[in-house]
Amino acid sequence: MPIRPLFRVAATLLLLTALAVPISARSPRLEQSVQPLQFEGDTFCTAFSINEAEGLWASAKHCAVFVLEKKLPVTIGGVWAMPVYLAPMDDISVWQSAKHAPALRLADKALKVGDLVRIEGYPMGLFRLIESRGFVAARQEPTDNGVSDVLDIAVYCGSSGSPVLNSQDEVVGLLWGGWPGTGFALSVPWETVLKLIGTRFQQQ
């Protein structure tokens, strides 16, 4: 075979490999363990599995308050769900569902400023898991929902309740909102998630 066609084949294979890297980098488990919260077929928040055996999921508290006030029937990944725990001071809720999925693991240690993180969630109106990448800009800043980590990362309405993950797909926080007009997101810190979820609900 002439050199030029061989070069084209090699270049095409390299391009396909490069395009496949972001897809293969995401664990297939995330597609099961991170699901949309929905009512009447519309996505409005995100939840992630914390206990497969008991069908327990974590999300943001304001998502649960919204559906409880309006008495809306909710599903996680298309299967019935209901909030069973609302944190008193922080934007965390736990949901019971008939949907069971592998639980995401909580990280062994907290984040540091500058650490790279990513968010996996379902922006409103979308039914595909969307990844956003960024880094920790500040740790445990005072906010309306207790102390929060500030993330330099783009987030979208509907992503509330998404897990904040490190490079090992471990949960290092729970996304609850963002500062309007900025590129910053707010996350319940790892220490709070560990205290409220890890010691009470997460599967050991």
Side-chain angles (χ1 to χ4, degrees):
M1 182 180 288
I3 294 177
R4 190 177 297 271
L6 278 174
F7 176 78
R8 287 178 181 165
V9 169
T12 301
L13 288 173
L14 285 172
L15 177 61
L16 290 173
T17 302
L19 290 173
V21 167
I23 298 171
S24 60
R26 172 187 284 157
S27 166
R29 178 178 180 180
L30 287 177
E31 303 286 347
Q32 305 171 50
S33 303
V34 184
Q35 292 288 322
L37 281 172
Q38 297 171 289
F39 69 90
E40 297 180 351
D42 291 326
T43 299
F44 69 97
C45 278
T46 301
F48 60 94
S49 176
I50 57 174
N51 188 314
E52 180 177 12
E54 298 182 28
L56 296 178
W57 299 72
S59 188
K61 182 170 72 174
H62 68 263
C63 301
V65 171
F66 171 74
V67 299
L68 289 171
E69 287 178 347
K70 297 184 179 298
K71 299 180 180 178
L72 297 170
V74 176
T75 62
I76 289 178
V79 182
W80 72 264
M82 61 180 295
V84 294
Y85 171 74
L86 276 66
M89 299 295 293
D90 300 278
D91 206 338
I92 294 180
S93 61
V94 174
W95 298 65
Q96 180 92 51
S97 177
K99 185 172 185 67
H100 297 254
L104 295 184
R105 183 175 179 273
L106 292 183
D108 293 328
K109 60 182 178 180
L111 294 166
K112 303 185 300 295
V113 172
D115 282 354
L116 298 177
V117 293
R118 75 183 196 281
I119 292 167
E120 298 278 356
Y122 288 84
M124 192 172 294
L126 297 181
F127 298 93
R128 182 169 63 89
L129 198 57
I130 301 297
E131 177 186 275
S132 299
R133 290 180 178 263
F135 63 91
V136 181
R139 291 233 58 223
Q140 302 207 19
E141 291 291 315
T143 66
D144 293 340
N145 286 314
V147 296
S148 300
D149 287 340
V150 181
L151 311 178
D152 190 327
I153 196 168
V155 294
Y156 309 95
C157 185
S159 298
S160 293
S162 298
V164 180
L165 303 169
N166 62 19
S167 59
Q168 286 78 46
D169 288 345
E170 297 169 330
V171 178
V172 290
L174 185 150
L175 179 74
W176 68 265
W179 271 327
T182 74
F184 294 106
L186 297 170
S187 167
V188 178
W190 170 83
E191 295 91 341
T192 305
V193 174
L194 180 66
K195 178 181 178 181
L196 296 180
I197 292 179
T199 58
R200 295 186 59 180
F201 298 102
Q202 193 179 47
Q203 185 173 323
Q204 300 301 316

PDB file of all heavy atoms in Angstrom, residues 1 6 9 14 36 39 45 56-57 60 103 107 111 153 167 169 184 187 204:
ATOM      1  N   MET A   1       0.860  -1.196   0.000  1.00  0.00           N
ATOM      2  CA  MET A   1       0.000   0.000   0.000  1.00  0.00           C
ATOM      3  C   MET A   1       0.892   1.241   0.000  1.00  0.00           C
ATOM      4  O   MET A   1       1.861   1.293   0.749  1.00  0.00           O
ATOM      5  CB  MET A   1      -0.915   0.016   1.240  1.00  0.00           C
ATOM      6  CG  MET A   1      -1.867   1.197   1.289  1.00  0.00           C
ATOM      7  SD  MET A   1      -2.922   1.183   2.770  1.00  0.00           S
ATOM      8  CE  MET A   1      -4.022  -0.167   2.370  1.00  0.00           C
ATOM      9  N   LEU A   6      -1.668   4.995   3.798  1.00  0.00           N
ATOM     10  CA  LEU A   6      -1.366   4.492   5.130  1.00  0.00           C
ATOM     11  C   LEU A   6      -1.374   5.619   6.151  1.00  0.00           C
ATOM     12  O   LEU A   6      -1.880   5.477   7.265  1.00  0.00           O
ATOM     13  CB  LEU A   6       0.006   3.806   5.137  1.00  0.00           C
ATOM     14  CG  LEU A   6       0.059   2.358   4.656  1.00  0.00           C
ATOM     15  CD1 LEU A   6       1.498   1.879   4.597  1.00  0.00           C
ATOM     16  CD2 LEU A   6      -0.755   1.467   5.581  1.00  0.00           C
ATOM     17  N   VAL A   9      -4.959   6.546   6.935  1.00  0.00           N
ATOM     18  CA  VAL A   9      -5.589   5.565   7.823  1.00  0.00           C
ATOM     19  C   VAL A   9      -5.120   5.774   9.258  1.00  0.00           C
ATOM     20  O   VAL A   9      -5.911   5.783  10.208  1.00  0.00           O
ATOM     21  CB  VAL A   9      -5.278   4.129   7.358  1.00  0.00           C
ATOM     22  CG1 VAL A   9      -5.700   3.116   8.413  1.00  0.00           C
ATOM     23  CG2 VAL A   9      -5.973   3.843   6.033  1.00  0.00           C
ATOM     24  N   LEU A  14      -6.075   7.741  14.831  1.00  0.00           N
ATOM     25  CA  LEU A  14      -5.690   8.602  15.940  1.00  0.00           C
ATOM     26  C   LEU A  14      -6.802   9.570  16.301  1.00  0.00           C
ATOM     27  O   LEU A  14      -7.082   9.825  17.473  1.00  0.00           O
ATOM     28  CB  LEU A  14      -4.415   9.380  15.583  1.00  0.00           C
ATOM     29  CG  LEU A  14      -3.114   8.575  15.614  1.00  0.00           C
ATOM     30  CD1 LEU A  14      -1.966   9.409  15.067  1.00  0.00           C
ATOM     31  CD2 LEU A  14      -2.793   8.118  17.026  1.00  0.00           C
ATOM     32  N   PRO A  36     -32.006  11.590  36.744  1.00  0.00           N
ATOM     33  CA  PRO A  36     -32.808  12.810  36.864  1.00  0.00           C
ATOM     34  C   PRO A  36     -33.986  12.638  37.818  1.00  0.00           C
ATOM     35  O   PRO A  36     -34.601  11.571  37.875  1.00  0.00           O
ATOM     36  CB  PRO A  36     -33.311  13.040  35.432  1.00  0.00           C
ATOM     37  CG  PRO A  36     -33.381  11.658  34.839  1.00  0.00           C
ATOM     38  CD  PRO A  36     -32.237  10.899  35.464  1.00  0.00           C
ATOM     39  N   PHE A  39     -40.945  15.057  37.253  1.00  0.00           N
ATOM     40  CA  PHE A  39     -42.385  14.993  37.468  1.00  0.00           C
ATOM     41  C   PHE A  39     -43.053  15.323  36.144  1.00  0.00           C
ATOM     42  O   PHE A  39     -42.608  16.185  35.397  1.00  0.00           O
ATOM     43  CB  PHE A  39     -42.865  15.925  38.591  1.00  0.00           C
ATOM     44  CG  PHE A  39     -42.762  17.394  38.285  1.00  0.00           C
ATOM     45  CD1 PHE A  39     -43.811  18.074  37.686  1.00  0.00           C
ATOM     46  CD2 PHE A  39     -41.620  18.096  38.607  1.00  0.00           C
ATOM     47  CE1 PHE A  39     -43.715  19.418  37.399  1.00  0.00           C
ATOM     48  CE2 PHE A  39     -41.524  19.451  38.330  1.00  0.00           C
ATOM     49  CZ  PHE A  39     -42.572  20.113  37.719  1.00  0.00           C
ATOM     50  N   CYS A  45     -34.342  18.301  38.655  1.00  0.00           N
ATOM     51  CA  CYS A  45     -33.172  18.231  39.532  1.00  0.00           C
ATOM     52  C   CYS A  45     -32.441  16.924  39.241  1.00  0.00           C
ATOM     53  O   CYS A  45     -32.888  16.123  38.407  1.00  0.00           O
ATOM     54  CB  CYS A  45     -33.569  18.285  41.017  1.00  0.00           C
ATOM     55  SG  CYS A  45     -33.877  19.948  41.666  1.00  0.00           S
ATOM     56  N   LEU A  56     -31.722   4.208  48.170  1.00  0.00           N
ATOM     57  CA  LEU A  56     -31.622   5.565  48.699  1.00  0.00           C
ATOM     58  C   LEU A  56     -30.779   6.437  47.775  1.00  0.00           C
ATOM     59  O   LEU A  56     -29.741   6.001  47.268  1.00  0.00           O
ATOM     60  CB  LEU A  56     -31.010   5.549  50.094  1.00  0.00           C
ATOM     61  CG  LEU A  56     -31.825   4.834  51.183  1.00  0.00           C
ATOM     62  CD1 LEU A  56     -31.067   4.848  52.506  1.00  0.00           C
ATOM     63  CD2 LEU A  56     -33.199   5.470  51.341  1.00  0.00           C
ATOM     64  N   TRP A  57     -31.248   7.663  47.601  1.00  0.00           N
ATOM     65  CA  TRP A  57     -30.603   8.620  46.699  1.00  0.00           C
ATOM     66  C   TRP A  57     -30.450   9.956  47.403  1.00  0.00           C
ATOM     67  O   TRP A  57     -31.273  10.313  48.246  1.00  0.00           O
ATOM     68  CB  TRP A  57     -31.458   8.806  45.439  1.00  0.00           C
ATOM     69  CG  TRP A  57     -31.637   7.554  44.649  1.00  0.00           C
ATOM     70  CD1 TRP A  57     -32.408   6.471  44.977  1.00  0.00           C
ATOM     71  CD2 TRP A  57     -31.028   7.234  43.399  1.00  0.00           C
ATOM     72  NE1 TRP A  57     -32.309   5.500  44.010  1.00  0.00           N
ATOM     73  CE2 TRP A  57     -31.467   5.939  43.024  1.00  0.00           C
ATOM     74  CE3 TRP A  57     -30.146   7.913  42.554  1.00  0.00           C
ATOM     75  CZ2 TRP A  57     -31.073   5.327  41.846  1.00  0.00           C
ATOM     76  CZ3 TRP A  57     -29.744   7.306  41.368  1.00  0.00           C
ATOM     77  CH2 TRP A  57     -30.206   6.015  41.029  1.00  0.00           C
ATOM     78  N   ALA A  60     -30.520  17.753  46.337  1.00  0.00           N
ATOM     79  CA  ALA A  60     -30.580  19.016  47.077  1.00  0.00           C
ATOM     80  C   ALA A  60     -31.904  19.123  47.830  1.00  0.00           C
ATOM     81  O   ALA A  60     -32.940  18.656  47.355  1.00  0.00           O
ATOM     82  CB  ALA A  60     -30.428  20.191  46.115  1.00  0.00           C
ATOM     83  N   ALA A 103     -24.182   2.418  44.417  1.00  0.00           N
ATOM     84  CA  ALA A 103     -23.972   3.638  45.189  1.00  0.00           C
ATOM     85  C   ALA A 103     -22.622   4.254  44.852  1.00  0.00           C
ATOM     86  O   ALA A 103     -21.609   3.548  44.716  1.00  0.00           O
ATOM     87  CB  ALA A 103     -24.044   3.326  46.679  1.00  0.00           C
ATOM     88  N   ALA A 107     -15.590  10.232  49.069  1.00  0.00           N
ATOM     89  CA  ALA A 107     -14.131  10.321  49.116  1.00  0.00           C
ATOM     90  C   ALA A 107     -13.635  10.160  50.553  1.00  0.00           C
ATOM     91  O   ALA A 107     -14.380  10.335  51.519  1.00  0.00           O
ATOM     92  CB  ALA A 107     -13.678  11.657  48.543  1.00  0.00           C
ATOM     93  N   LEU A 111     -11.620  18.283  49.899  1.00  0.00           N
ATOM     94  CA  LEU A 111     -10.961  18.995  48.814  1.00  0.00           C
ATOM     95  C   LEU A 111     -10.029  20.072  49.348  1.00  0.00           C
ATOM     96  O   LEU A 111     -10.129  20.484  50.505  1.00  0.00           O
ATOM     97  CB  LEU A 111     -12.015  19.660  47.924  1.00  0.00           C
ATOM     98  CG  LEU A 111     -12.942  18.740  47.137  1.00  0.00           C
ATOM     99  CD1 LEU A 111     -14.112  19.536  46.601  1.00  0.00           C
ATOM    100  CD2 LEU A 111     -12.178  18.081  45.999  1.00  0.00           C
ATOM    101  N   ILE A 153     -16.892  26.718  38.021  1.00  0.00           N
ATOM    102  CA  ILE A 153     -17.410  25.704  37.106  1.00  0.00           C
ATOM    103  C   ILE A 153     -18.773  26.151  36.578  1.00  0.00           C
ATOM    104  O   ILE A 153     -19.521  26.830  37.280  1.00  0.00           O
ATOM    105  CB  ILE A 153     -17.533  24.342  37.853  1.00  0.00           C
ATOM    106  CG1 ILE A 153     -17.680  23.171  36.897  1.00  0.00           C
ATOM    107  CG2 ILE A 153     -18.653  24.374  38.868  1.00  0.00           C
ATOM    108  CD1 ILE A 153     -17.502  21.812  37.588  1.00  0.00           C
ATOM    109  N   SER A 167     -11.320  12.830  40.577  1.00  0.00           N
ATOM    110  CA  SER A 167     -10.897  12.053  39.401  1.00  0.00           C
ATOM    111  C   SER A 167     -11.141  10.561  39.563  1.00  0.00           C
ATOM    112  O   SER A 167     -11.093   9.813  38.589  1.00  0.00           O
ATOM    113  CB  SER A 167      -9.415  12.307  39.116  1.00  0.00           C
ATOM    114  OG  SER A 167      -8.624  11.941  40.235  1.00  0.00           O
ATOM    115  N   ASP A 169     -14.022   9.321  40.626  1.00  0.00           N
ATOM    116  CA  ASP A 169     -15.488   9.184  40.662  1.00  0.00           C
ATOM    117  C   ASP A 169     -16.013   9.093  42.084  1.00  0.00           C
ATOM    118  O   ASP A 169     -17.070   8.512  42.340  1.00  0.00           O
ATOM    119  CB  ASP A 169     -15.967   7.953  39.869  1.00  0.00           C
ATOM    120  CG  ASP A 169     -15.826   8.139  38.372  1.00  0.00           C
ATOM    121  OD1 ASP A 169     -15.626   9.288  37.927  1.00  0.00           O
ATOM    122  OD2 ASP A 169     -15.926   7.137  37.639  1.00  0.00           O
ATOM    123  N   PHE A 184     -19.566  30.863  39.020  1.00  0.00           N
ATOM    124  CA  PHE A 184     -19.258  30.077  40.216  1.00  0.00           C
ATOM    125  C   PHE A 184     -20.466  29.274  40.680  1.00  0.00           C
ATOM    126  O   PHE A 184     -21.595  29.747  40.623  1.00  0.00           O
ATOM    127  CB  PHE A 184     -18.786  30.986  41.349  1.00  0.00           C
ATOM    128  CG  PHE A 184     -17.483  31.655  41.073  1.00  0.00           C
ATOM    129  CD1 PHE A 184     -17.433  33.008  40.754  1.00  0.00           C
ATOM    130  CD2 PHE A 184     -16.295  30.937  41.118  1.00  0.00           C
ATOM    131  CE1 PHE A 184     -16.227  33.623  40.490  1.00  0.00           C
ATOM    132  CE2 PHE A 184     -15.078  31.548  40.860  1.00  0.00           C
ATOM    133  CZ  PHE A 184     -15.041  32.899  40.540  1.00  0.00           C
ATOM    134  N   SER A 187     -21.389  24.297  46.451  1.00  0.00           N
ATOM    135  CA  SER A 187     -21.464  22.872  46.759  1.00  0.00           C
ATOM    136  C   SER A 187     -21.472  22.656  48.261  1.00  0.00           C
ATOM    137  O   SER A 187     -20.706  23.297  48.993  1.00  0.00           O
ATOM    138  CB  SER A 187     -20.254  22.162  46.138  1.00  0.00           C
ATOM    139  OG  SER A 187     -20.102  20.857  46.640  1.00  0.00           O
ATOM    140  N   GLN A 204     -22.511   0.559  53.475  1.00  0.00           N
ATOM    141  CA  GLN A 204     -21.133   0.270  53.889  1.00  0.00           C
ATOM    142  C   GLN A 204     -20.561  -0.898  53.096  1.00  0.00           C
ATOM    143  O   GLN A 204     -21.275  -1.778  52.688  1.00  0.00           O
ATOM    144  CB  GLN A 204     -21.118  -0.056  55.384  1.00  0.00           C
ATOM    145  CG  GLN A 204     -21.643   1.075  56.246  1.00  0.00           C
ATOM    146  CD  GLN A 204     -20.872   2.375  56.084  1.00  0.00           C
ATOM    147  OE1 GLN A 204     -19.624   2.346  56.059  1.00  0.00           O
ATOM    148  NE2 GLN A 204     -21.565   3.482  55.947  1.00  0.00           N
TER     149      GLN A 204
END
